[in-house]
Amino acid sequence: MKNMLALIAVCLAALMSGLEISSVPVISPVLEQQLHASFRELQWVMNAYTLACTTVLMATGTLADRFGRRRVFMIAIAAFGLTSLLCGLAGSVGWLIVGRFLQGLSGGAMLTCLIAILATQFPEGRARSRAFAAWGITFGLGLGFGPIVGALLVAWFSWQWVFLVHVFIAVVTLLLAAKNVVESRDAQAQKLDLAGLLTLSLTVMGATYLITQGSSLGWQSAYAWGILLLTAVSGLAFIRIERRHPHPMFDFSVFRIRRFSGALMGSVGMNFSFWPLMIYLPIWYQSGQGYGNVETGLALLAYTLPTLLMPPLGEKLTARYGAEKTIPLGLFAIAVGFMLMYLAVALQLSLLPGALIAGAALGLTNTPVTNTTTGSVPGDRAGMASGIDISARLITLAVNIALMGSLLVAGINASLRRTLPEVGDAAALAERIAGGAVVALPQGVASRALADGFSGLLLYGAVGVAALALASTLLFSWRVNKLNSSGQSPQDEARPIRSTACEDNAAG
């Protein structure tokens, strides 16, 4: 019974994590209307959470190992509840962004700890497999049904309840965890790679800030060049620090393992196109198609639900044909889905076929990617491999939320200038249209401009994920037949990889 209640606590935490990722995009048009949020501010409502998760993700495993996984888990749950309350009570978009960043810090810590708790509380074998299956299903349900849950909360109550609902779930989770989660530590836990954490965070934040704010800053301005220089220096410093650190967050030598690198292209590919588009689809449905909140939530189910239904088939395909075929195939299928959505926007047809194919393809790809990134390295490196996998997903997601937003605004801006050469500040109008605002323009001009913007965004997603599918294919096929049971080629083994105990328990 104790383990069962602990599992319920972990699953509730996973549910909150999944809901928080996929329910918030639905409220973007509402935030534009009620908080008068600009398009760039709407981007930061999502990206603040993602960047904060990335910042804390790698550190939490080490802290939990040293100070107790149950203790850090409970602190993270309490913090998630409090920061959700802060988001729900925010009276301005600025405070909402601050709340989202703090919520992301606690959410990333919570996600890392719950994986470690499952690995230590449940004995290896059938019990652990069932526990991880329950966690995965619950997290997937949160992701899949998040859009309709968010839409219903907005329709029945207000946008604040998309955040406030987590306060009640957090209280229940905290009570269950306090009495049933077993405390555990790692006596061999290493010191936190603080320098690596800081330089990685500065690199990702600098890149995202430049993508979202570069045009308004002026690309030739000294301020923009200063941020670019700081970002480049931080990136180079991160690589240097990690290559010299005795227990690095990112041990770059694992990239010599071709199966790991090939699977990592899958992690990047899924978050290059599929999940960033989730941020902007509600704007298309509501502003471009005239859907209400609930209709938008239901339309988004076609995009997210297939991701829940296809993983069993993905596992069967991987068992039969191998990850080296399944992962690139899944990425190519996502590209096909995006091309169908691109054609649907251009021809004024339904996005449904493309959305279904993209969602199903992601469902086929996700589990093989996770299993291969952790399974292709020696057992004592699985935690670090898992950390790299999750970090690659979140970093790609943050950067592409910004990139897709910039492409959307640029496409709308170009369309407005073609259609209305006499228009005044086309760039400002483009940002308002991209944010879901109702703009007084001649009939059909705003909707046509929005369609042009989405066409460019979808084409970018399709070409990008197709290129990553090709990269994955090449990485897998290069010496794939020479890999031994540990996932290394003979040449890889000839060049020893430094041992590290970083986040072993986060691997599950």
Side-chain angles (χ1 to χ4, degrees):
M1 180 58 71
K2 190 180 183 73
N3 278 1
M4 178 59 68
L5 293 174
L7 180 59
I8 292 173
V10 166
C11 287
L12 285 174
L15 180 66
M16 288 192 288
S17 297
L19 285 174
E20 198 55 32
I21 292 170
S22 63
S23 64
V24 175
V26 179
I27 69 173
S28 292
V30 180
L31 295 177
E32 191 279 333
Q33 295 168 14
Q34 296 189 17
L35 293 183
H36 308 292
S38 69
F39 181 68
R40 288 191 177 93
E41 287 171 333
L42 291 175
Q43 286 181 294
W44 278 107
V45 168
M46 279 304 302
N47 252 347
Y49 185 91
T50 306
L51 288 171
C53 275
T54 307
T55 301
V56 76
L57 195 68
M58 299 297 289
T60 306
T62 302
L63 292 174
D65 286 347
R66 294 186 69 188
F67 299 109
R69 291 147 190 154
R70 174 179 166 274
R71 176 184 296 177
V72 176
F73 182 54
M74 291 185 64
I75 292 171
I77 294 168
F80 193 84
L82 290 172
T83 52
S84 296
L85 180 63
L86 175 61
C87 291
L89 297 178
S92 68
V93 70
W95 276 111
L96 180 58
I97 292 171
V98 171
R100 286 286 285 167
F101 184 83
L102 297 174
Q103 190 187 39
L105 291 176
S106 55
M110 185 171 64
L111 185 61
T112 303
C113 286
L114 65 86
I115 296 172
I117 286 169
L118 288 177
T120 55
Q121 179 131 1
F122 292 88
E124 191 171 353
R126 192 170 184 180
R128 185 180 295 180
S129 297
R130 285 181 173 179
F132 271 98
W135 163 73
I137 291 170
T138 309
F139 184 66
L141 288 172
L143 286 173
F145 286 95
I148 189 61
V149 171
L152 289 174
L153 287 171
V154 172
W156 291 344
F157 305 105
S158 65
W159 66 263
Q160 288 90 342
W161 280 96
V162 173
F163 301 104
L164 293 177
V165 69
H166 296 298
V167 177
F168 301 99
I169 301 175
V171 170
V172 176
T173 306
L174 200 60
L175 292 174
L176 289 171
K179 294 186 177 181
N180 299 288
V181 172
V182 176
E183 185 62 283
S184 61
R185 292 179 176 83
D186 181 4
Q188 304 301 318
Q190 305 297 330
K191 291 183 178 179
L192 180 63
D193 182 7
L194 189 59
L197 181 67
L198 178 62
T199 50
L200 176 62
S201 301
L202 285 174
T203 303
V204 178
M205 288 183 184
T208 306
Y209 186 81
L210 279 174
I211 293 167
T212 55
Q213 309 295 324
S215 58
S216 61
L217 294 173
W219 289 106
Q220 302 302 319
S221 69
Y223 186 52
W225 278 99
I227 295 175
L228 179 61
L229 179 61
L230 176 63
T231 302
V233 170
S234 297
L236 293 172
F238 172 72
I239 294 172
R240 182 177 177 84
I241 289 166
E242 296 306 289
R243 291 178 68 88
R244 291 170 173 261
H245 199 283
H247 304 287
M249 262 191 329
F250 278 62
D251 189 343
F252 290 100
S253 57
V254 298
F255 293 109
R256 293 202 301 265
I257 302 174
R258 298 299 173 182
R259 286 180 63 81
F260 177 84
S261 297
L264 198 66
M265 291 300 100
S267 298
V268 172
M270 291 183 294
N271 292 276
F272 187 97
S273 53
F274 187 91
W275 288 116
L277 183 64
M278 183 75 183
I279 311 304
Y280 303 107
L281 275 179
I283 296 169
W284 170 254
Y285 283 124
Q286 294 188 28
S287 298
Q289 304 296 301
Y291 288 10
N293 288 323
V294 177
E295 291 174 301
T296 298
L298 290 171
L300 289 173
L301 286 179
Y303 194 69
T304 58
L305 274 185
T307 66
L308 302 179
L309 303 176
M310 300 307 290
L313 179 58
E315 291 182 14
K316 290 181 180 179
L317 290 174
T318 303
R320 183 167 183 177
Y321 299 107
E324 63 272 13
K325 293 182 179 178
T326 306
I327 292 173
L329 176 65
L331 294 180
F332 275 120
I334 293 175
V336 170
F338 267 67
M339 281 304 300
L340 288 177
M341 288 189 282
Y342 165 76
L343 293 173
V345 169
L347 301 174
Q348 298 182 2
L349 301 174
S350 171
L351 295 185
L352 182 62
L356 287 172
I357 289 174
L362 185 132
L364 287 175
T365 311
N366 190 36
T367 302
V369 164
T370 303
N371 291 343
T372 307
T373 52
T374 55
S376 60
V377 300
D380 64 345
R381 337 276 317 272
M384 185 196 62
S386 177
I388 293 176
D389 176 23
I390 298 173
S391 296
R393 296 179 190 227
L394 291 175
I395 291 170
T396 308
L397 176 61
V399 170
N400 274 279
I401 287 174
L403 273 174
M404 282 190 168
S406 297
L407 287 171
L408 179 59
V409 171
I412 295 172
N413 187 9
S415 180
L416 289 175
R417 291 187 180 280
R418 285 195 306 269
T419 310
L420 299 172
E422 71 282 2
V423 72
D425 192 351
L429 277 176
E431 286 200 3
R432 292 191 64 203
I433 293 170
V438 178
V439 180
L441 290 173
Q443 186 176 9
V445 171
S447 59
R448 182 67 258 169
L450 185 63
D452 289 342
F454 262 91
S455 293
L457 185 154
L458 290 165
L459 185 60
Y460 163 78
V463 172
V465 75
L468 288 163
L470 179 60
S472 179
T473 301
L474 293 174
L475 285 167
F476 271 121
S477 61
W478 192 5
R479 303 189 190 97
V480 70
N481 294 323
K482 296 181 181 180
L483 295 173
N484 62 24
S485 60
S486 71
Q488 295 174 262
S489 71
Q491 282 188 315
D492 291 336
E493 286 188 314
R495 293 173 290 186
I497 304 173
R498 296 189 307 274
S499 177
T500 178
C502 179
E503 288 193 334
D504 286 341
N505 293 290

